[in-house]
Amino acid sequence: KTFYLASLNSYYTFYLIDAFHVSKQMAQVLLFVFLGAVAAGTFIGGPVGDWIGRKYVIWVSILGVLPFTLLLPHLGLTGTVIDSVAIGLILSSAFSAMVVYAQELAPGNVGAIAGLFFGLSFGLGGLGVSLVDVARLYAGLARGGEAPALFERLDGAPPLIGPRRVTDPVAAYYVEDILRGSPPPANALSGRIA
């Protein structure tokens, strides 16, 4: 669930821009609508879990997004927005039920369990991408969507990972355009990447 939510947070705007040719501002507004549905699902999931049972809410949260996910690439813009709202509501509805289950397993450590769940969800979301993947992604965006070959040795051995297209050139342009407008940190050296 964490990987899926992190993926949607990262790529939903690019999908909307590429598939439906919406503006960057509109794509960001629609991402906000999706994230609002995620927040609403978190709040709604608690009372629904009390009403029908936490175990059912957890199972519906895990399996219930499958039909909406499979339907997503076949919809128009309005259908995509409605479908992504349903995905956000369903996907996040089990969060409170899972925290309550975990707190029941360790009743004397309520704060530790709540903190662990937030930290664990962020950590698991970050595990989906390594530092090498991030470096290749940025290099690929700068090269019109084509990630370069990855060499980890200087002895002339063939690359571990060959060049690969990571995104469409249009999507790479949009990301580059967004990042171009971002100011560097105040203490950044001028004319350097890092």
Side-chain angles (χ1 to χ4, degrees), residues 134-148 164-169 171-177 179-180 193:
V134 171
R136 286 190 75 222
L137 176 64
Y138 276 107
L141 291 172
R143 295 173 179 188
E146 179 87 21
R164 185 176 139 220
R165 178 151 298 283
V166 292
T167 186
D168 183 72
Y173 168 79
Y174 284 126
V175 173
E176 208 175 341
D177 188 47
L179 293 176
R180 189 177 301 117
I193 295 174

Side-chain angles (χ1 to χ4, degrees), residues 80-104:
T80 297
V81 172
I82 294 168
D83 195 49
S84 63
V85 166
I87 289 170
L89 286 168
I90 295 169
L91 189 64
S92 63
S93 63
F95 185 75
S96 58
M98 290 188 294
V99 170
V100 170
Y101 265 135
Q103 289 173 344
E104 287 175 353

